[in-house]
Amino acid sequence: MWRHLFRNKKNQPVIGAQEIDIWRVKALFNNFRKILQLNTLVFEQIAAMDRALGGEYIFDQSFLEESVRTIASHVHHVTYNLNALTNNGYIPLYDRYQDIRVILDDILAGNTKALSCPPVLPLDSLSWELEPLVGIDLVCLAELRHHPGIKARDGLVISSDATRAVLNNTSSAAPSATEMSFDLVTEGLDSALQPMLAEHFRPLLSISATRLDGLSAEVRDLGEFLLKEDTNGSLVLLAEEALPLEQATGSPSPSSPSPRETIGRSRLESSREDLFLKGIIRIIAIAAERCYTLYPDTEPNFALYLRPASNALARGTITTRAAIKSATPLLTVTSWIPGNRQEMDIHQLRRVFPFDFVSSTVTPKIMDLPFPDGMQATGITQEYRQFRRGSATILPREIQALAETAMTLERIMGVPVIMHWEYLESGRFVVTRLFPFLEKPAKPTAIELEREMKNAAILGEGGQVVQSGVAAGIVFHVTQDTNLNDFPIGGVAVAPIAAPQLTPILHRASAVLTEHGNPIGHLATVAREASLPAVFGIPGILGKLPNGTEVTVDAGQGRVYEGVLNHLLQQGKSETSFSPIDPEYRVLRRLLRFISPLKLVNPDDPNFSAQNCRSFHDIIHFCHEMAVDELAHFQERRPGLRGIRTTRLHLPVQMGINLLDVGGGLPDKPEEHLGPADILSEPFAIFLDGLLHPQAAGDELPTLGIRDIISAIPRTSGIGSVSPEMSVDNLAILSQEYMNLSLRLGYHFSVIDAHLASDRHRNYIYFRFIGGLADQARRARRALFISDVLGAMDFKVFWKGDLVVGRMKFEEKDVLRSALFVLGALTAYSRQRDTSLYSDELGRELFDRFADAFLLPFGKNSATYRSLRSRAQPNPAVRMRKLPVFSSPAQHSGEES
């Protein structure tokens, strides 16, 4: 029995031949199914790592190693199956997989050899991937560029290897050798210093160090250095005493070993720029020597942060969690005018938006002292004309703006922070340094917590925990169209669905709640990365939490309480399992940055390529998109499919479709006259329900004029670049959960490729439509009508001329069922409609009639229906709520619920 299989393998025809082995076709589709299955397993393992990062359970090194091993194996097999499906079309994916795997293995081993980092980087170019090489404090400062409000002071970051290279070249007591050359460091400094000199040259420079090995939370100020020219043209370096205590450890800073040095003479030896570069190198060397003086028994690993030291008009600090012993943790802001630190103002604010003042201590100041805003204490403010300015160093709104930035940094870092700020002559605030505040708050007593919880009112509960934690704030309802600037910093974001478009709002929120959403989606990943308390899938939460309500969110318990529960907030902060300075947390977070982020999002982007995959998530997403694209064009790229024996589907309408079963799509022994009721493929059966619905036929099809037919002759021979073989019959390739349908109806061509399963991460629909009989304007109107219908179902739509491409993916099964039904109805309804669309108004009327029948089963009183009716212009990106779940076409005539 088995010999005929052996013989067939010896003489397999190439793709494009008239006869294609059905077993080979099935093998290709098995590769596709394997990609979907493996992607699901990867998502599940990522979710387990995310839950561990969110504090849901304790983990150890073996958990991390096993997770990486499992995910890497799955991703490798996904890559293999894509290449098997596409005849080795994406070989470079193996290289990207191997590069990422090496980085993950190095992270697990505790080294960073696989990570590449230039010797010198501008601060604003840092990303989370470089955190092991530069320190979490500098990455957090750099991350402020993605957030509204106050930004970090511009500066340069010098890597640990670059620092060693400088010391090797300048010091006799050099540390151990480094692979980085001194020339490479010099080139990097020269390139990075050019914009720094051109934009804001300040001869006074500040430098600080972040230790990276074992004590990554330790940040040291190493002093201020002045580069100046004397009267004879020499560039002189003045090294001031290192600044007093400015770090979390409390250890004293070292004294300056070199109070004055002459770098060289600009007129005789070299240019001013070259001398400045030499001066910077000497500053780096002095700073590095100071670091080694601090740790004489070890060889520390540290990065340096060099920035211009400005003539600030005001300075201060913010501690985001002060008054540790108080039942209500507060945020403390200090401010003073340089040279008068003894006249320090101290303000205490609430930690939740809008950061109300609790107390202020303002020191008396000289009557005619000019303040940073140029006013005097007795001056009348523009903001409050009935009040005088007062003697506070900075104004209340400025203090609250600083508080917003400090709380943003706390959310980014994951622990309370101490932030240093300056007010510059240019009239803007900048953040200059950042330190983790490592002292944990005291727990409330059991009696205090019990009394508070006994009287607490629960406004909502349930859902799936995405990121544990406790937060409080004012409720703000958000959608994909919410303006980011309208969202209050520190508010509690409440959304109908966990859409990726909400990601920017998470940078301003204190917590996020949704009615629908998956705990392993993109938004969930961002919430965990930001340590933002989040719960998805809370039933009816939008209706239970009106805008403006002040609430406390206990994400770990999946509950939302009315008002601010101070003891619960205090308890939640004291029970944090991990912080960014814990070794296990740091390793897990670093691993996830090369596993979980999704940077390749849009398949239509020119940069959507195998070479640009930067994480395992990028690889499996790329494989999924390319596999779908391969199947969407499967029949076009394999014209020999017409040579395979197929089964004819008999329909009650004038349309012929041949069926090719690749696994469970048809009965084992199909009837001679196979009808729609015999179809076992779920997506195709639903599509046929819509196609054959009585209302899908619409009114009488428009008649064709001789001018339409003659004008169409040059176009119809090559619609969609389909070969002549493809235009003979319509073909559907089916399995139990899959359909690939190519239709040539009259003068247009369409493709529907869909996978429908219980696991939403395996679900998608791809739709493509092109062509028509009428002139270009009327074909474009029909394409716009189709684009509107797809947009109403939340497809991602591309529309140009008479071409429409729509994609829907990662949705629940019921949503895809509804969409497939509507696509079936749309296929029948849109036939030859282009010939009658002589105006835009007729196109809108066509959409309204179709919406009445298929898009709006809740009835004409629907608010969505009314908004569509009021459209002034056609819009290819019309947004509607998700279609309801239905089991039969008859439900389309139901009343509004």
Side-chain angles (χ1 to χ4, degrees):
M1 291 181 61
W2 50 270
R3 292 182 180 177
H4 70 284
L5 298 177
F6 202 72
R7 286 196 301 269
N8 287 342
K9 286 187 177 181
K10 293 171 63 177
N11 299 297
Q12 285 186 351
V14 297
I15 292 177
Q18 287 298 315
E19 295 288 341
I20 293 185
D21 190 346
I22 184 62
W23 299 107
R24 185 177 180 187
V25 175
K26 290 185 177 181
L28 291 174
F29 279 88
N30 283 334
N31 287 321
F32 173 70
R33 280 195 287 264
K34 194 67 175 178
I35 290 173
L36 298 181
Q37 294 167 0
L38 290 169
N39 281 4
T40 299
L41 295 176
V42 172
F43 283 128
E44 290 174 352
Q45 192 64 48
I46 291 176
M49 298 178 74
D50 277 337
R51 290 195 299 271
L53 185 70
E56 189 169 322
Y57 51 82
I58 303 298
F59 59 90
D60 56 13
Q61 182 73 10
S62 63
F63 166 81
L64 299 178
E65 293 173 354
E66 180 61 28
S67 297
V68 170
R69 188 161 47 247
T70 301
I71 291 176
S73 175
H74 293 334
V75 173
H76 185 268
H77 282 88
V78 168
T79 304
Y80 169 81
N81 280 280
L82 176 65
N83 278 284
L85 177 63
T86 60
N87 195 24
N88 289 328
Y90 300 97
I91 294 298
L93 269 178
Y94 290 112
D95 295 332
R96 293 305 304 134
Y97 161 81
Q98 191 60 37
D99 291 343
I100 296 171
R101 179 63 195 270
V102 169
I103 292 174
L104 294 175
D105 288 342
D106 277 356
I107 292 173
L108 287 171
N111 63 59
T112 57
K113 292 181 179 179
L115 293 176
S116 60
C117 176
V120 182
L121 283 169
L123 177 71
D124 60 7
S125 69
L126 299 185
S127 61
W128 278 111
E129 289 76 13
L130 298 177
E131 180 264 329
L133 303 178
V134 299
I136 191 172
D137 62 303
L138 296 180
V139 173
C140 289
L141 287 180
E143 282 293 300
L144 282 179
R145 70 186 185 274
H146 300 305
H147 298 258
I150 299 169
K151 304 296 188 289
R153 186 72 165 105
D154 295 337
L156 300 179
V157 178
I158 297 94
S159 71
S160 179
D161 284 340
T163 304
R164 285 195 177 93
V166 170
L167 275 181
N168 285 340
N169 189 74
T170 60
S171 174
S172 59
S176 62
T178 176
E179 295 180 1
M180 186 171 292
S181 69
F182 177 73
D183 290 341
L184 182 62
V185 178
T186 303
E187 292 175 6
L189 280 170
D190 188 36
S191 175
L193 286 172
Q194 294 306 318
M196 187 174 172
L197 288 170
E199 295 178 10
H200 42 251
F201 171 67
R202 298 281 184 182
L204 185 62
L205 301 166
S206 292
I207 193 164
S208 58
T210 299
R211 191 170 181 190
L212 307 175
D213 48 352
L215 299 174
S216 64
E218 190 173 3
V219 180
R220 298 271 186 168
D221 264 315
L222 300 175
E224 291 188 347
F225 300 81
L226 179 63
L227 284 170
K228 60 180 296 186
E229 288 184 288
D230 61 15
T231 55
N232 64 4
S234 296
L235 185 67
V236 177
L237 170 64
L238 300 176
E240 298 184 357
E241 291 291 325
L243 301 181
L245 175 64
E246 298 280 1
Q247 63 269 342
T249 61
S251 303
S253 298
S255 60
S256 170
S258 180
R260 180 184 178 93
E261 289 186 31
T262 299
I263 302 300
R265 301 189 64 180
S266 60
R267 297 173 187 171
L268 299 178
E269 299 178 6
S270 56
S271 67
R272 183 173 180 272
E273 290 75 14
D274 290 340
L275 285 181
F276 187 81
L277 176 60
K278 291 180 180 179
I280 295 295
I281 292 174
R282 183 61 187 135
I283 290 174
I284 293 172
I286 294 174
E289 289 170 357
R290 289 180 174 179
C291 284
Y292 282 96
T293 302
L294 286 170
Y295 310 102
D297 299 329
T298 61
E299 187 178 307
N301 187 24
F302 53 87
L304 299 179
Y305 173 35
L306 181 70
R307 64 188 183 281
S310 59
N311 296 323
L313 302 179
R315 288 193 174 105
T317 66
I318 299 181
T319 305
T320 58
R321 178 172 287 272
I324 296 176
K325 297 181 180 179
S326 169
T328 306
L330 300 175
L331 183 150
T332 300
V333 181
T334 66
S335 60
W336 64 87
I337 294 176
N340 295 281
R341 188 164 182 170
Q342 68 278 8
E343 298 179 355
M344 178 190 298
D345 298 339
I346 302 175
H347 309 274
Q348 291 193 315
L349 290 72
R350 293 183 65 195
R351 286 170 40 87
V352 297
F353 186 86
F355 306 104
D356 295 326
F357 284 81
V358 175
S359 67
S360 291
T361 301
V362 179
T363 58
K365 298 178 178 66
I366 301 173
M367 178 67 69
D368 58 351
L369 177 71
F371 288 92
D373 55 6
M375 296 184 63
Q376 295 184 351
T378 55
I380 303 297
T381 64
Q382 294 292 327
E383 190 172 357
Y384 306 105
R385 294 183 180 276
Q386 67 272 35
F387 297 108
R388 299 187 184 277
R389 185 199 182 282
S391 57
T393 305
I394 56 177
L395 299 176
R397 57 179 170 78
E398 296 171 333
I399 294 171
Q400 290 173 318
L402 288 167
E404 290 179 356
T405 300
M407 291 305 299
T408 298
L409 285 169
E410 178 180 302
R411 285 192 292 275
I412 296 173
M413 183 171 275
V415 293
V417 299
I418 301 173
M419 181 188 95
H420 290 246
W421 59 267
E422 292 180 353
Y423 182 78
L424 305 182
E425 293 173 320
S426 60
R428 66 187 181 98
F429 287 88
V430 293
V431 181
T432 57
R433 292 182 297 289
L434 180 68
F435 314 99
F437 187 63
L438 303 180
E439 191 172 354
K440 284 193 174 183
K443 291 184 180 181
T445 65
I447 296 177
E448 290 174 334
L449 187 61
E450 182 182 3
R451 185 183 300 118
E452 184 177 68
M453 299 310 296
K454 183 177 180 181
N455 299 321
I458 299 176
L459 301 181
E461 60 182 330
Q464 296 176 293
V465 177
V466 173
Q467 168 68 37
S468 61
V470 182
I474 296 173
V475 169
F476 194 94
H477 290 182
V478 296
T479 66
Q480 301 176 33
D481 301 321
T482 298
N483 189 326
L484 178 63
N485 294 326
D486 293 338
F487 188 88
I489 292 181
V492 175
V494 183
I497 189 168
Q501 291 84 350
L502 299 178
T503 298
I505 288 176
L506 266 58
H507 297 313
R508 300 175 68 105
S510 63
V512 58
L513 310 169
T514 71
E515 284 194 351
H516 306 281
N518 194 289
I520 57 175
H522 176 72
L523 198 71
T525 298
V526 176
R528 293 188 186 96
E529 181 68 30
S531 299
L532 186 73
V535 185
F536 292 173
I538 306 177
I541 195 65
L542 278 168
K544 296 174 182 178
L545 301 182
N547 264 322
T549 307
E550 196 170 47
V551 298
T552 299
V553 177
D554 186 351
Q557 299 298 319
R559 288 182 175 177
V560 184
Y561 297 95
E562 183 178 11
V564 177
L565 305 183
N566 292 313
H567 291 303
L568 180 60
L569 284 169
Q570 189 179 3
Q571 175 80 3
K573 292 298 181 182
S574 65
E575 289 185 344
T576 302
S577 300
F578 292 100
S579 76
I581 65 167
D582 292 315
E584 298 87 354
Y585 183 98
R586 289 163 53 205
V587 172
L588 175 55
R589 193 168 185 177
R590 289 170 181 173
L591 290 172
L592 283 173
R593 289 184 191 123
F594 292 94
I595 293 175
S596 184
L598 180 62
K599 302 294 179 63
L600 292 183
V601 178
N602 183 9
D604 299 323
D605 192 312
N607 294 320
F608 194 86
S609 65
Q611 291 83 352
N612 288 325
C613 291
R614 295 291 179 264
S615 68
F616 277 168
H617 195 169
D618 279 343
I619 290 178
I620 65 172
H621 180 68
F622 179 84
C623 290
H624 179 273
E625 292 292 343
M626 294 302 99
V628 170
D629 179 77
E630 182 69 19
L631 293 185
H633 299 84
F634 190 79
Q635 298 187 36
E636 299 169 39
R637 295 169 183 171
R638 295 164 176 81
L641 285 173
R642 298 300 171 180
I644 295 180
R645 182 178 179 182
T646 58
T647 303
R648 188 75 171 182
L649 176 64
H650 295 272
L651 296 172
V653 296
Q654 292 184 353
M655 181 184 299
I657 300 179
N658 291 333
L659 308 178
L660 175 60
D661 183 22
V662 293
L666 298 176
D668 292 336
K669 295 182 179 180
E671 300 292 335
E672 184 177 352
H673 295 283
L674 189 75
D678 300 311
I679 300 298
L680 301 181
S681 172
E682 184 177 7
F684 188 55
I686 295 172
F687 176 85
L688 290 177
D689 283 345
L691 182 76
L692 302 177
H693 191 275
Q695 289 182 272
D699 46 18
E700 184 177 351
L701 293 178
T703 57
L704 305 180
I706 188 64
R707 181 179 301 175
D708 293 323
I709 297 174
I710 293 176
S711 65
I713 291 175
R715 294 191 305 271
T716 54
S717 61
I719 291 178
S721 300
V722 182
S723 65
E725 292 174 319
M726 289 296 295
S727 63
V728 177
D729 289 309
N730 302 314
L731 178 64
I733 302 174
L734 307 175
S735 74
Q736 187 174 2
E737 298 178 334
Y738 174 77
M739 66 171 279
N740 180 286
L741 175 63
S742 293
L743 291 175
R744 179 78 175 255
L745 301 177
Y747 298 93
H748 70 262
F749 176 70
S750 60
V751 173
I752 302 98
D753 189 81
H755 191 275
L756 187 62
S758 55
D759 179 6
R760 64 190 295 268
H761 292 97
R762 299 168 60 187
N763 291 342
Y764 73 88
I765 300 175
Y766 173 94
F767 174 89
R768 186 169 81 253
F769 176 97
I770 189 172
L773 182 66
D775 57 63
Q776 182 177 356
R778 285 182 286 170
R779 297 199 319 274
R781 291 188 185 103
R782 177 173 62 174
L784 176 58
F785 157 66
I786 293 172
S787 177
D788 274 355
V789 172
L790 297 178
M793 294 187 290
D794 281 338
F795 274 74
K796 182 180 179 181
V797 183
F798 171 81
W799 163 58
K800 183 177 182 181
D802 60 2
L803 171 66
V804 182
V805 178
R807 295 183 180 92
M808 175 185 284
K809 58 184 179 181
F810 302 157
E811 293 287 0
E812 299 296 341
K813 189 174 184 178
D814 289 335
V815 174
L816 266 71
R817 283 173 174 157
S818 299
L820 283 168
F821 181 89
V822 174
L823 287 179
L826 180 64
T827 299
Y829 197 87
S830 59
R831 291 181 65 182
Q832 298 181 17
R833 295 289 178 182
D834 55 327
T835 59
S836 62
L837 297 179
Y838 290 97
S839 68
D840 293 343
E841 182 60 32
L842 289 175
R844 290 193 289 272
E845 290 177 2
L846 183 67
F847 177 87
D848 289 337
R849 290 197 301 272
F850 186 82
D852 279 341
F854 295 101
L855 290 181
L856 301 165
F858 287 126
K860 293 184 179 180
N861 293 327
S862 164
T864 305
Y865 179 86
R866 291 195 300 271
S867 67
L868 286 171
R869 285 286 186 153
S870 64
R871 290 186 305 158
Q873 297 293 333
N875 180 2
V878 175
R879 306 295 294 181
M880 287 179 54
R881 59 186 165 192
K882 290 288 189 289
L883 298 176
V885 179
F886 52 82
S887 57
S888 68
Q891 290 190 358
H892 275 272
S893 59
E895 294 298 322
E896 181 176 14
S897 62

